[in-house]
Amino acid sequence: MAIIIDGKKISSDIKNELKARVENITAKGIKPKLALLLVGEDAASQMYVRSKERYCNDIGIESVVLRMPNTTTEEEVLDIIDKWNNDKTVNGILVQLPLPKHINESKVLLSISPSKDVDGFHPENVGRLVAGLPSYVPCTPLGIYELLKRYKINLKGKHCVVVGRSNIVGKPIANLLMQKEPNANAIVTVCHSAAPDISYYTKQADVLIAAVGSPELIKGEDVKEGVVVIDVGINRVEDLSTEKGYRVVGDVNFAEVSKKASAITPVPGGVGPMTISMLILNTLRSAEKEVYKD
Ligand code: NDP
């Protein structure tokens, strides 16, 4: 039977650890602060922002949330960020995505000071990650890295196959796992929609990371015995037997793949819960001046 990698439990452990770190730094007179900007009325975004606010509150980090209407202009957004960039009491800035279509997302992300870029999307942090320098790493890949580390999955010389090459998940996790350092040092293959047959790659994986957004794409026959599987996908599929009329599945067919895997993340309850803990970890690292010293 595969070990079930319990992201919910690990995230809760990390939350307790972060709380202790916050107490420590607060005792030294530093009060960590996260500034969040939400533009528009997207229901999912509102829920994500509320849970980030709640998390901060639970562990003693100050959060400021600015909720702006859909009609907010790009210039107004850039002004807010400029204000937060120059506010010494703000350690982390997060712009909840997606932004309304009339606002240029890359321009906004580029305007965030790299030293407060706790989402790790600024090209300076991307470049630092690739170069193996201290950086803010995007929260979902950082969560995957932390899960593998805490479950003591040795990656040295192992073949990690990443399916998906997004800037948010695929590219950063590939870069993290190939770094020459104790909890990484893997041989990494990245595949994407241009692959004529992804099973050619997934069958070779010692560690498989699926970040595709396609429900149960990877089946039992696509993996080898003993594989470690990290399923990042969050997909809604219709299920009229449930109260909501849908259920959430990953990019991996859990029933089939868990029979062959040595360890696997469930969906939900695997990678998902880690993301928020990593955002707060990055905020704390900013307050502790761990990445950018000035
Ligand atoms: P994107 O849509 O940005 O990227 C998907 C990637 O998968 C692309 O690189 C695409 O290739 C590739 N792809 C699509 N179809 C196939 C296929 N049939 N075979 C091989 N590759 C394919 O998605 P994200 O990376 O943002 O997210 C991926 C999944 O992870 C989603 O389900 C999302 O909801 C979930 N997610 C979960 C998070 C969490 O747990 N907290 C956070 C972020 C995402 P190409 O580049 O060629 O288009």
Side-chain angles (χ1 to χ4, degrees), residues 91-282:
N91 304 107
I93 300 174
L94 181 135
V95 176
Q96 188 64 46
L97 301 178
L99 286 166
K101 290 211 165 21
H102 64 273
I103 301 176
N104 182 332
E105 214 162 86
S106 353
K107 198 167 168 188
V108 170
L109 295 180
L110 209 64
S111 74
I112 297 174
S113 162
S115 66
K116 298 187 181 187
D117 168 40
V118 286
D119 248 342
F121 295 151
H122 192 287
E124 184 165 330
N125 281 308
V126 177
R128 280 173 167 253
L129 169 62
V130 174
L133 297 169
S135 66
Y136 295 115
V137 176
C139 304
T140 301
L142 190 58
I144 297 171
Y145 176 84
E146 203 57 38
L147 281 179
L148 291 167
K149 188 168 117 188
R150 289 184 186 232
Y151 272 83
K152 298 192 169 37
I153 291 162
N154 178 21
L155 298 175
K156 185 178 175 188
K158 297 285 162 56
H159 189 186
C160 291
V161 175
V162 180
V163 189
R165 58 172 161 189
S166 71
N167 290 336
I168 295 175
V169 189
K171 282 182 198 159
I173 191 62
N175 275 297
L176 261 181
L177 299 183
M178 74 169 76
Q179 295 299 327
K180 193 170 182 176
E181 62 103 345
N183 299 306
N185 220 357
I187 315 302
V188 180
T189 297
V190 180
C191 51
H192 42 75
S193 68
D197 172 16
I198 58 159
S199 76
Y200 171 80
Y201 302 97
T202 58
K203 277 180 190 156
Q204 299 176 41
D206 298 315
V207 178
L208 176 66
I209 302 191
V212 188
S214 178
E216 301 181 322
L217 175 76
I218 294 160
K219 315 275 186 239
E221 66 200 27
D222 300 323
V223 299
K224 68 178 183 189
E225 289 287 340
V227 63
V228 172
V229 179
I230 304 290
D231 188 353
V232 188
I234 302 177
N235 311 290
R236 276 185 185 188
V237 292
E238 189 180 86
D239 184 347
L240 299 176
S241 71
T242 66
E243 202 177 302
K244 290 176 178 160
Y246 69 85
R247 68 196 155 86
V248 175
V249 299
D251 292 337
V252 171
N253 183 316
F254 185 87
E256 290 179 18
V257 173
S258 62
K259 287 192 186 122
K260 290 174 91 176
S262 58
I264 186 167
T265 56
V267 176
V271 175
M274 293 296 289
T275 301
I276 191 163
S277 282
M278 296 300 104
L279 168 72
I280 306 306
L281 171 66
N282 278 346

